[in-house]
Amino acid sequence: MQILKFEIGTSNITFIFLEELLIQFKKVAKVGELVNWEACMDVMDLLYEKEETSVFYSSPCSLAASILVASYLITVPVQEWEFPVVPWVQFVTSFKEEDIVQQVRDILLHVLETDC
């Protein structure tokens, strides 16, 4: 598989889950169109810049769900936040709401971290 450069790492699996979640989200809520795909990729890149960051997340699917919620919070204007994104992600993925919220909090702290 390495010879064929067939990469099936956690980041690729997370990418696939994230892409699928965003597609579903756009089908269910008009506000899904406001979630910026490039922002999702930027958040994912920031998380994977240090390998140990990915260890904190229980699965590629939970990481993808948390990246989607974090990207929603970063890119969708506050006045457009009428869609209950966390309960929807909980319903679609079956993860506990408190786990999603904690992971989103961790992601936002990492992404918005400053070196002052």
Side-chain angles (χ1 to χ4, degrees):
M1 295 241 187
Q2 288 177 339
I3 293 171
L4 298 173
K5 298 191 189 247
F6 187 80
E7 297 177 12
I8 194 155
T10 304
S11 62
N12 291 336
I13 296 168
T14 302
F15 174 84
I16 292 167
F17 282 129
L18 179 58
E19 187 176 40
E20 183 59 36
L21 278 173
L22 186 56
I23 290 168
Q24 289 178 29
F25 187 44
K26 288 179 178 184
K27 288 180 181 176
V28 183
K30 185 174 179 141
V31 74
E33 295 295 330
L34 298 175
V35 176
N36 186 298
W37 176 249
E38 288 78 23
C40 292
M41 293 295 91
D42 289 343
V43 168
M44 197 163 150
D45 287 344
L46 286 169
L47 293 175
Y48 281 101
E49 72 182 7
K50 297 178 182 175
E51 274 187 44
E52 66 270 9
T53 304
S54 62
V55 174
F56 295 114
Y57 305 101
S58 58
S59 72
C61 187
S62 71
L63 180 57
S66 299
I67 290 171
L68 176 67
V69 175
S71 299
Y72 175 90
L73 295 173
I74 292 170
T75 62
V76 175
V78 175
Q79 57 273 30
E80 300 287 332
W81 284 1
E82 79 275 353
F83 189 82
V85 68
V86 174
W88 179 80
V89 167
Q90 178 188 10
F91 174 76
V92 172
T93 63
S94 300
F95 293 115
K96 296 179 187 172
E97 183 173 340
E98 55 271 8
D99 292 342
I100 296 167
V101 170
Q102 182 61 47
Q103 287 184 5
V104 170
R105 181 182 173 280
D106 293 344
I107 288 170
L108 291 174
L109 286 173
H110 180 76
V111 169
L112 303 175
E113 180 178 83
T114 59
D115 294 329
C116 294

